Amino acid sequence: MAEFNEWASLFSGELFVKLVVYADESGTHDEAGQQPGSSVPVIGGYIAYKHEWTTFCGRWKAALDGYKLRYFHYIEWRDAVVAISDGKPETPELHVNPFYKLSLNELLKLQYDLAEIAGSQIPICGIDWLRKRKELFPDDNRFAFNATFGAFFMAVIETLEERPSFTEKIAFFMDQKTPEWELEFTKIHAECTKRGLIRSNERAFADKMDHLPLQAADMYAYRARTLAVPHMETQSKQPATVLDIMLNRKMHPLTGFRPVMTDQLRAEIEELAAKYQSVHRALSEVPNNDFGLK
C-alpha cells in the first residue's frame, strides 16, 4: 500500500486508470549513438493492472529482503558479478556496491528470483538504431530519442491490439531523466492520446531506486538492449538466454516468447531449471513451450 500511495502522489489526481506501464531506458548516454552501448537505445518495461502491481511490489520486496538489499540496479549487479568472477581486487566503487557482499551463486540466484517476478507481467519494448539513423539523416535536428519514444508507443499499441480486453485508461510511469527527455516524452504521449492511439491521461517520472516496478523495467531494458545491439549492428538474430525467456515469457498471449532453440540453450535450460526453482517455475509458464518441463 505504501508503494501505491507513493505512486498516486505523483499524478494529478485523475486516478481512474486501471492499467499501468512502468518503463526505463537503456543506452541513451550519447545522442550521437557513437559511444559504446549507445548505438541502439531502448525503452522497455512492463504493463499490468494496478492491483497486479500491488502484488508485484510485495513479491519484489520480499525477494530483496531475502538478500538484505534495499533495491536492485542491473549495472551494479553486473559489476559485482564481473568483479567476483574475475577475482578483481576490491575498488572504492565496489566497496559501496551493495551486491558485492553476495557470493556469485547468491548473485545469480537473485537475478533469476527477480526475473521470475518481473516476467510475470507483460513486456513492452521500443528500439531505435540511432547510430545508423544519424548516418542516414545527419541534418535531422530533432531530439535524438524521439524515434525511440515512437517505437515504444508503437509497442504499447501492438500490445493492446493483442489483448482486446485491455480497454481501460493507461498511466505511464517512467524513470527520471533530463528535463528535455521528459518534455519530449510528454509531447509524444500527448500526441498519441490526442490521435486516439492510446487512452491515457497520466504520466509521471520518478527515481527507480524508490519505486520497485521501475527496477524490473531497468532489468528488462538492459537485457533488451543487450540483445538488440548485435542484432541491429550485424543484422543477425541473436540467441536468447534463459534470463531473456523468463523476462519475456508473457510477450505474446498465445505463444509466449519463442527463441531459437539451440543445443546450447537446451543445455542451459536443463542446467538452470534443475539448479534454481525460480527458473523451473518461470519456464513452465511459457505457453506451448519447447522445453519439456513438467
Side-chain angles (χ1 to χ4, degrees), residues 45-49 51-57 59-60 112-123 163 166 216 219-220 243-251 278 281-283 285-286:
Y46 292 98
I47 183 172
Y49 284 105
H51 70 272
E52 292 176 322
W53 284 121
T54 301
T55 301
F56 167 94
C57 289
R59 295 179 65 197
W60 191 270
Y112 293 122
D113 288 350
L114 294 179
E116 178 190 13
I117 301 168
S120 64
Q121 316 292 52
I122 297 166
R163 295 165 176 82
F166 280 11
M219 173 185 277
Y220 180 72
L243 176 63
D244 300 313
I245 298 172
M246 294 175 72
L247 293 173
N248 285 284
R249 67 186 188 270
K250 290 197 174 179
M251 177 172 282
S278 56
R281 288 192 298 264
L283 296 187
E285 292 179 9
V286 178

Side-chain angles (χ1 to χ4, degrees), residues 13 19 42 52 60 63 75 108 115 128 130 137 159 181 194 210 230:
L19 289 165
V42 166
E52 292 176 322
W60 191 270
I75 292 180
L108 295 176
D128 174 40
L130 176 61
F137 306 101
T159 299
W181 168 281
K194 180 180 178 181
D210 298 322

Side-chain angles (χ1 to χ4, degrees), residues 79-129:
D79 289 346
V81 169
V82 170
I84 294 172
S85 300
D86 294 350
K88 294 180 180 178
E90 187 171 351
T91 65
E93 292 78 12
L94 287 173
H95 183 70
V96 298
N97 184 328
F99 303 98
Y100 194 65
K101 66 184 179 182
L102 303 178
S103 68
L104 182 59
N105 185 62
E106 286 175 324
L107 286 168
L108 295 176
K109 186 176 184 299
L110 168 65
Q111 174 188 231
Y112 293 122
D113 288 350
L114 294 179
E116 178 190 13
I117 301 168
S120 64
Q121 316 292 52
I122 297 166
I124 295 174
C125 186
I127 299 170
D128 174 40
W129 193 1

Side-chain angles (χ1 to χ4, degrees), residues 146-159:
N146 275 358
T148 318
F149 295 151
F152 172 71
F153 279 108
M154 283 301 301
V156 172
I157 294 166
E158 290 171 2
T159 299

Side-chain angles (χ1 to χ4, degrees), residues 20-82:
V20 183
V21 173
Y22 285 91
D24 193 14
E25 50 74 31
S26 183
T28 60
H29 50 282
D30 176 19
E31 294 190 6
Q34 297 297 325
Q35 294 183 18
S38 68
S39 64
V40 183
V42 166
I43 299 177
Y46 292 98
I47 183 172
Y49 284 105
K50 194 162 57 179
H51 70 272
E52 292 176 322
W53 284 121
T54 301
T55 301
F56 167 94
C57 289
R59 295 179 65 197
W60 191 270
K61 186 177 186 305
L64 293 178
D65 288 346
Y67 297 88
K68 295 182 172 56
L69 294 168
R70 187 180 70 84
Y71 65 87
F72 180 82
H73 188 206
Y74 201 86
I75 292 180
E76 290 183 80
W77 174 91
R78 182 206 59 186
D79 289 346
V81 169
V82 170

Side-chain angles (χ1 to χ4, degrees), residues 133-266:
R133 188 163 52 77
K134 286 292 185 179
E135 291 177 0
L136 294 174
F137 306 101
D139 297 327
D140 186 352
N141 295 320
R142 291 176 299 175
F143 182 58
F145 304 111
N146 275 358
T148 318
F149 295 151
F152 172 71
F153 279 108
M154 283 301 301
V156 172
I157 294 166
E158 290 171 2
T159 299
L160 297 176
E161 290 175 347
E162 284 187 322
R163 295 165 176 82
S165 62
F166 280 11
T167 59
E168 296 85 357
K169 287 186 177 180
I170 307 171
F172 288 87
F173 201 97
M174 308 293 295
D175 186 38
Q176 285 177 333
K177 286 286 289 180
T178 64
E180 184 180 19
W181 168 281
E182 295 178 9
L183 176 62
E184 293 299 324
F185 182 91
T186 298
K187 287 180 180 177
I188 296 181
H189 170 269
E191 181 64 22
C192 289
T193 302
K194 180 180 178 181
R195 294 171 58 186
L197 299 176
I198 56 174
R199 298 184 68 234
S200 174
N201 296 327
E202 298 285 3
R203 77 228 163 266
F205 302 89
D207 186 349
K208 61 172 163 266
M209 295 304 151
D210 298 322
H211 292 267
L212 304 181
L214 285 176
Q215 296 171 28
D218 169 74
M219 173 185 277
Y220 180 72
Y222 188 95
R223 281 304 309 171
R225 183 175 61 82
T226 299
L227 290 177
V229 170
H231 171 66
M232 290 293 193
E233 296 291 352
T234 65
Q235 295 297 291
S236 61
K237 189 172 181 63
Q238 297 301 303
T241 66
V242 166
L243 176 63
D244 300 313
I245 298 172
M246 294 175 72
L247 293 173
N248 285 284
R249 67 186 188 270
K250 290 197 174 179
M251 177 172 282
H252 301 294
L254 298 179
T255 61
F257 183 63
R258 302 300 298 272
V260 176
M261 293 301 299
T262 63
D263 291 340
Q264 180 180 351
L265 181 55
R266 288 184 185 277

